[in-house]
Amino acid sequence: AERPTCVGFSVNVVLEKEQSTFQLSSLTGILNSEIAARWFAQNAKKRGTQLEINGGTLRRIPIPEYESIADEKLAMLVTRRQSGGGEAVELEREIEQIVSTLYGLP
């Protein structure tokens, strides 16, 4: 949340703690990446066919070290993807590539 926000009972809210962290749009790209999906599949509690991704699970996911250039590029791509701008498949491929690089993967 970038400003005071009211949400329902079972909603996780992510707040920016300090200036030297990823922008919320960049964090959205990281948390929606294939890398995060695999981590959640291994670490989140199973609820039937779904995963329970609660605050405790979100606090444990390893977030890569902050990198300002990657943050700016990732934020721009995620914002474009959320607004429906550009080719979705190409934007998602670029987002995945940046996230992989942040995690030190090829």
Side-chain angles (χ1 to χ4, degrees):
E2 295 175 329
R3 57 188 176 277
T5 304
C6 181
V7 298
F9 175 71
S10 294
V11 175
N12 293 304
V13 178
V14 177
L15 304 171
E16 186 176 50
K17 287 179 102 174
E18 48 190 75
Q19 295 283 346
S20 64
T21 59
F22 288 100
Q23 297 175 57
L24 291 176
S25 54
S26 296
L27 190 56
T28 298
I30 293 168
L31 292 175
N32 285 295
S33 70
E34 289 295 323
I35 292 170
R38 287 192 300 270
W39 187 90
F40 286 128
Q42 292 176 347
N43 294 279
K45 186 175 184 178
K46 311 292 188 279
R47 289 268 186 202
T49 60
Q50 303 294 315
L51 296 174
E52 179 182 324
I53 300 175
N54 57 30
T57 305
L58 284 171
R59 279 190 282 283
R60 290 193 331 268
I61 188 169
I63 300 297
E65 189 172 319
Y66 177 76
E67 212 287 341
S68 64
I69 295 171
D71 181 35
E72 289 299 322
K73 178 80 173 167
L74 191 54
M76 184 268 302
L77 291 169
V78 170
T79 300
R80 280 184 56 203
R81 177 64 182 100
Q82 289 173 334
S83 68
E87 179 65 37
V89 172
E90 178 62 22
L91 289 170
E92 289 174 7
R93 186 193 64 72
E94 289 184 62
I95 291 167
E96 290 293 337
Q97 182 58 53
I98 292 171
V99 172
S100 292
T101 301
L102 285 167
Y103 279 100
L105 302 172

